[in-house]
Amino acid sequence: MNVYDSEQIEKLLAPSGYKINSSFEAADLIIVNTCAIREKAEQKVFSFLGRLADLKRKRPNLIIGVGGCVAQQEGKKIPERMPHVDLVFGTHAINRLPYLIEKIEAERCKLVDIEMSEVIEELESVIESSLDRSDPKVTSFVTIMRGCDNFCTYCVVPYVRGRETSRFPESIVNEVKCLVKSGVQEVTLLGQNVNSYGKKEKLNSFPQLLARVNEIDGLFRIRFTTSHPKDLSDDLVSAFKNMDKLCNHIHLPVQSGSNKILKKMNRKYSRELYLEKIDKLRNNCPDIAVTSDIIVGFPGETKADFEETLDLIKEVEFDGIFAFKYSDRPNVPAARFTNKIAEQEKKDRLQALLNLQECFTTKKNRALIGTNELVLVEGLSKKKVDRDDAQSKCRYVQWTGRTETNKVVNFIQDEGVIPGDRISKGKIVNVKIEKAYSHSLSGKSVQRFERRTKLCCLKLA
Ligand code: SAH
Ligand code: SF4
């Protein structure tokens, strides 16, 4: 969500002449887009802002702005604590940013704008193709809704991003069309709970929206995140079978395997219901990849509750998980719960859980060795690779991209390709998987009709 917001900020400020600069030492404006979801993310914001004080002393005309969830949460406390900050703008103030910056440029004043509204102001005029990108994007996020009404007891999102509000389907479809025109081949539709898209406003349902996006010519892949298990409908399950552009991957955060903890989290589903949904998804689409989020050390989580989470991981065999130590967030109900878990215990549980999951991730990845996977090329990989060829050991450049199931693949080019078929960013390539690691796969591109060919070697000095 923050990546998308940062991109919106870039687009909004382009007409005022601001461009992304790789060095913040030389920048005229620094915007720190912040995340408040866990304590650690918030601590990072303040240590980073602290480091900018020197820069501001040396260059008083530099404008420093803080946006996002920490800005929304802390408001004027930020410039009080960090006087070198000129602007604080909340999660609903992004559209007002050009005006706020203009005012600071003209009046050299300090501003705090954390007003929230129930209406999403559309950025219709600010389209991807208006940006002069030297390196066009292949894949892009598109926010379809804002905020959340679920109030899970640990979560700060409903407080800092406000009530759930959906964008109009026409506006989403237009944005995707503009992105496709600019070279984007894959979109990830974003919301805190995409399954409830449009319900409040009586717009299209989420599967109906998917069907509209699925019809867009030139778009190759659709992904979405995040789905709340309580709202995962049969129509959405069927969409994985019926919509050709929808990727075989679902991120379905379970948070805990213990019914007692799920209740205390206010998740509104049971372990049994979650497992039922996983069964439905796999019966409908057997090769679907499933990933999840898990919180360890929620207040009152006993060793037995934690064991139930480990059991659930064994039962589901996720393709991957994001796991987090529970941390108190300001004003959320769980911050007031008793029986907090000691930091060391949380660390130990996190490690045990990650160790267990690693076995399943590796197992799933290994099962792909020898198969051919369609990969959307996102660019050159940072790493080069050593391989032996007939004469000598040489280094190859590697390309990187993702499978339909969202697994990262680094690969080298097969020499058998005809020149027009050379790999480049944005191409869809058939890759034979040769090796599996815990977080990625590697292989080489192959001809669709498997000609035996020598490896292409781009020898690097
Ligand atoms: N809307 C998504 C989650 C968004 S937040 C959903 O409902 O699944 C991303 C993840 O951060 C959550 O899934 C949760 O695992 C984690 N998280 C949220 N609040 C947290 C907290 N206080 N401590 C630790 N992890 C937290
Ligand atoms: Fe937070 Fe729960 Fe909403 Fe996800 S569904 S954003 S975890 S309150």
Side-chain angles (χ1 to χ4, degrees), residues 36-39 148 150 152-157 191-193 226-229 251-255 267 269 292-296 298 322-329 332 334:
I37 197 79
R38 285 170 292 276
E39 199 179 8
C148 183
N150 283 314
C152 301
T153 53
Y154 51 81
C155 185
V156 79
V157 169
Q192 295 300 343
N193 178 15
T226 294
S227 267
H228 195 304
H251 185 64
L252 198 62
V254 63
Q255 313 297 0
R267 288 290 287 180
Y269 55 82
S292 198
D293 288 352
I294 290 178
I295 297 177
V296 300
F298 186 79
F322 296 101
F324 313 102
K325 284 183 291 168
Y326 166 81
S327 59
D328 277 343
R329 305 311 301 126
V332 306

Side-chain angles (χ1 to χ4, degrees), residues 69-113:
C69 295
V70 178
Q72 187 66 47
Q73 184 182 284
E74 300 297 310
K76 64 177 172 28
K77 282 192 236 153
I78 296 178
E80 280 165 13
R81 184 170 158 189
M82 307 249 160
H84 56 287
V85 169
D86 301 288
L87 168 67
V88 174
F89 62 101
T91 51
H92 291 198
I94 290 183
N95 283 29
R96 297 189 286 273
L97 200 54
Y99 158 77
L100 296 168
I101 301 281
E102 219 173 274
K103 193 166 161 72
I104 294 175
E105 283 170 341
E107 298 172 24
R108 291 286 144 194
C109 53
K110 298 218 176 258
L111 294 176
V112 175
D113 179 352

Side-chain angles (χ1 to χ4, degrees), residues 82 127 249 310 357 359 371 389 437 449:
M82 307 249 160
I127 54 171
H249 167 228
L310 296 182
Q357 177 55 37
C359 305
T371 63
D389 71 2
Y437 309 95
F449 305 107

Side-chain angles (χ1 to χ4, degrees), residues 296-309:
V296 300
F298 186 79
E301 184 191 71
T302 60
K303 285 214 157 75
D305 293 319
F306 177 61
E307 283 298 326
E308 288 194 60
T309 301

Side-chain angles (χ1 to χ4, degrees), residues 193-197 199 206 224 226-229 231-233 236:
N193 178 15
V194 293
N195 302 329
S196 60
Y197 169 81
K199 273 191 191 155
F206 183 56
F224 63 81
T226 294
S227 267
H228 195 304
D231 297 317
L232 178 66
S233 66
L236 186 57

Side-chain angles (χ1 to χ4, degrees), residues 409-423:
V409 184
N410 297 308
F411 65 97
I412 58 172
Q413 170 146 17
D414 186 318
E415 198 184 44
V417 287
I418 31 179
D421 265 0
R422 282 244 165 261
I423 291 174

